[in-house]
Amino acid sequence: MTRVPFAPEEAGRCLCGECPSKPDEMKSFYCARGKSTAEVARRGCLCEECSVQIDYNLADSYYCILGAPE
Amino acid sequence: MGDTMSNLGDAFAGESQANRKYLAFAKKAEEEGYPEVAKRFRVAAASETVHAHAHLKVMGGLNSTAENLKESVGGENYEHVTMYPGFMDIATSEGNEDAHFSFFAANEAEKFHEKMFAEALADPANAPAKTFYVCEVCGMTYENETPNACVVCSAPKSRINEVA
């Protein structure tokens, strides 16, 4: 597992913006930027099908709740 | 209360702020299912725009396009070189992540804006024809093409809109 860099090319591949669980906030790309400061209701997670997740060998989901993997 | 030029400046700032605030209120009213309330906010916002433009004109804030571009380049440069970096540092030191990200998103867009204006300033009459897009979530700005998701806030392509 590699830490996801906080880079525009990676943010541009992130699927969080389309996620049904994403809280109403500007912040996104939680696997790099860390967890949301808002309350998140689990309504499904798109991380497992995200190319960022695959390329960086991430194993979890709901980074909006868990925070960025170390 | 200051002299009239100072009051014009204050009035311009206040009307400009009211315009943006009312549009945000209208959006919220739409989301909450109050279309007639939203309409009233949009009406007031449109009126405040007229007031703001009138004040700006009277106070001599409208110049030639070349001068306006030059002022805009300077303003955008100040924002992304000085203002927002300072704001981000303070937000970080205070642990306010939401404010930090809001400043960060604006800062990224201001960099683009400076280049966009500078390109036009080089030769306003022959500014190259381009298509511009703005992310409706964070304000990031793009030219000619858009990514699959916003490179600042990861909003999907469908929320990055062309601005004519």
Side-chain angles (χ1 to χ4, degrees):
Chain A
M1 189 173 69
T2 313
R3 192 175 177 87
V4 180
F6 182 36
E9 58 272 24
E10 306 301 6
R13 296 196 288 147
C14 168
L15 298 181
C16 287
E18 299 179 85
C19 181
S21 297
K22 187 182 181 308
D24 183 18
E25 64 179 353
M26 190 189 291
K27 184 177 176 180
S28 197
F29 195 26
Y30 302 103
C31 66
R33 292 193 174 112
K35 64 185 174 185
S36 170
T37 55
E39 193 168 327
V40 180
R42 290 177 184 255
R43 300 190 183 95
C45 178
L46 301 182
C47 288
E48 287 184 8
E49 55 192 90
C50 178
S51 61
V52 177
Q53 163 105 343
I54 295 164
D55 289 354
Y56 288 90
N57 298 313
L58 306 185
D60 292 313
S61 56
Y62 284 106
Y63 302 106
C64 53
I65 297 172
L66 300 176
E70 293 299 325
Chain B
M1 217 167 278
D3 61 20
T4 294
M5 288 310 287
S6 169
N7 292 340
L8 281 166
D10 290 348
F12 173 68
E15 298 283 5
S16 300
Q17 198 173 68
N19 164 268
R20 298 291 93 183
K21 192 180 283 186
Y22 287 159
L23 290 177
F25 289 174
K27 188 177 173 190
K28 183 68 174 174
E30 289 284 3
E31 288 169 1
E32 293 184 347
Y34 305 124
E36 280 299 325
V37 175
K39 187 193 298 177
R40 283 159 172 77
F41 281 127
R42 285 195 297 271
V43 167
S47 175
E48 309 303 21
T49 295
V50 175
H51 299 156
H53 287 183
H55 298 330
L56 181 65
K57 187 176 180 184
V58 173
M59 64 192 270
L62 271 182
N63 300 300
S64 71
T65 294
E67 288 168 318
N68 292 338
L69 281 166
K70 190 175 178 184
E71 178 185 328
S72 301
V73 168
E76 300 290 342
N77 179 273
Y78 166 73
E79 288 178 345
H80 77 77
V81 170
T82 304
M83 187 181 85
Y84 280 127
F87 286 179
M88 284 190 280
D89 286 345
I90 293 169
T92 298
S93 70
E94 293 178 351
N96 192 330
E97 285 185 44
D98 291 341
H100 181 275
F101 194 71
S102 190
F103 294 145
F104 167 78
N107 197 52
E108 293 304 298
E110 314 308 7
K111 294 174 189 172
F112 179 92
H113 298 166
E114 183 189 357
K115 289 180 188 167
M116 177 179 71
F117 287 139
E119 178 187 60
L121 178 60
D123 186 0
N126 295 296
K130 291 183 173 178
T131 306
F132 294 99
Y133 303 86
V134 174
C135 173
E136 67 182 38
V137 176
C138 74
M140 186 55 188
T141 313
Y142 301 91
E143 64 180 30
N144 294 334
E145 58 185 355
T146 59
N148 286 330
C150 177
V151 300
V152 171
C153 73
S154 302
K157 197 180 189 79
S158 60
R159 301 193 71 181
I160 304 173
N161 308 309
E162 182 179 346
V163 178

